[in-house]
Amino acid sequence: MDVEPIFLIKRRIRRNKQFDDNPDTKREQQSALENYRTDYFLVLVDMALSQLKIRFEQIEFFESVFGFLFDAAQLISLDDEGLKTCCLKLEKSLTHGDACDIDAKRLLSELQILQEMLPSVAYECEIPWNSLKVLEFVKKMDMFPNILVAYRILLTILLLWHLPNGASQN
């Protein structure tokens, strides 16, 4: 942006030193640029790095729970045992006390049927269907209630994740 970083040098305020004062000579001798670097720039970089770390950890957890539903190619690539493991993990993460949003056994059977019913264009093309397109296909079929719930939760969490001002990201 061709803006020269010019830091004005503040007038040094001299104050009377008491005999028991500890001199902060390093801090007093820093240049305006060094003060900016330590007081603002490094603080902002540290905050950004810690926030990125937290967000990547959240995304990794989210992907470990919902990853098999992200696109049609991932869904088709799972065998029955892998699909069962994913469904059980999803059910466990969507359980609160005695209430659960989905039933893993029913979701498993619905996903097995869906794997057979998905058109080959959904997963064999260069860009496989994303979760929204799979949800639209499932809605048209009108016979997979647990899959509908799972995809609605997935897409709702993604929507909340991308809201401005960090709303509901924890």
Side-chain angles (χ1 to χ4, degrees):
M1 292 172 44
D2 296 329
V3 176
E4 287 293 320
I6 299 173
F7 297 95
L8 300 175
I9 298 173
K10 292 182 180 179
R11 182 178 67 89
R12 289 189 178 209
I13 299 173
R14 304 268 182 208
R15 66 179 189 94
N16 292 337
K17 304 273 183 184
Q18 302 297 324
F19 72 95
D20 61 346
D21 279 348
N22 290 329
D24 190 14
T25 56
K26 285 184 181 178
R27 184 82 174 136
E28 289 174 358
Q29 293 175 0
Q30 284 183 342
S31 68
L33 180 62
E34 188 62 25
N35 280 339
Y36 171 78
R37 183 179 169 278
T38 57
D39 293 346
Y40 299 104
F41 179 73
L42 292 178
V43 171
L44 288 174
V45 169
D46 187 45
M47 288 172 51
L49 287 174
S50 66
Q51 285 296 314
L52 283 172
K53 182 181 177 206
I54 290 169
R55 289 177 190 225
F56 277 115
E57 288 170 355
Q58 290 173 340
I59 288 172
E60 284 175 353
F61 173 74
F62 183 75
E63 195 275 332
S64 73
V65 173
F66 287 98
F68 70 107
L69 298 174
F70 282 172
D71 63 43
Q74 287 178 329
L75 183 60
I76 291 294
S77 68
L78 292 171
D79 62 353
D80 288 345
E81 196 58 38
L83 202 56
K84 181 179 180 181
T85 303
C86 291
C87 290
L88 289 171
K89 190 172 190 176
L90 183 62
E91 179 187 51
K92 183 179 177 186
S93 68
L94 296 178
T95 300
H96 182 72
D98 293 337
C100 184
D101 291 319
I102 62 163
D103 181 345
K105 291 178 185 175
R106 291 181 180 167
L107 179 63
L108 173 64
S109 62
E110 289 177 15
L111 287 172
Q112 288 170 334
I113 295 169
L114 181 63
Q115 283 179 328
E116 299 297 323
M117 295 180 73
L118 274 175
S120 61
V121 71
Y123 53 88
E124 289 179 352
C125 61
E126 188 176 319
I127 301 173
W129 284 4
N130 60 18
S131 52
L132 189 57
K133 284 189 178 182
V134 175
L135 176 64
E136 289 171 356
F137 178 79
V138 169
K139 276 182 161 179
K140 288 178 188 174
M141 301 305 292
D142 194 30
M143 56 188 274
F144 301 116
N146 285 290
I147 294 176
L148 278 173
V149 170
Y151 272 105
R152 284 181 179 159
I153 292 171
L154 163 72
L155 294 169
T156 302
I157 290 173
L158 285 176
L159 175 66
L160 291 175
W161 187 268
H162 294 289
L163 285 177
N165 299 327
S168 301
Q169 288 185 1
N170 290 331

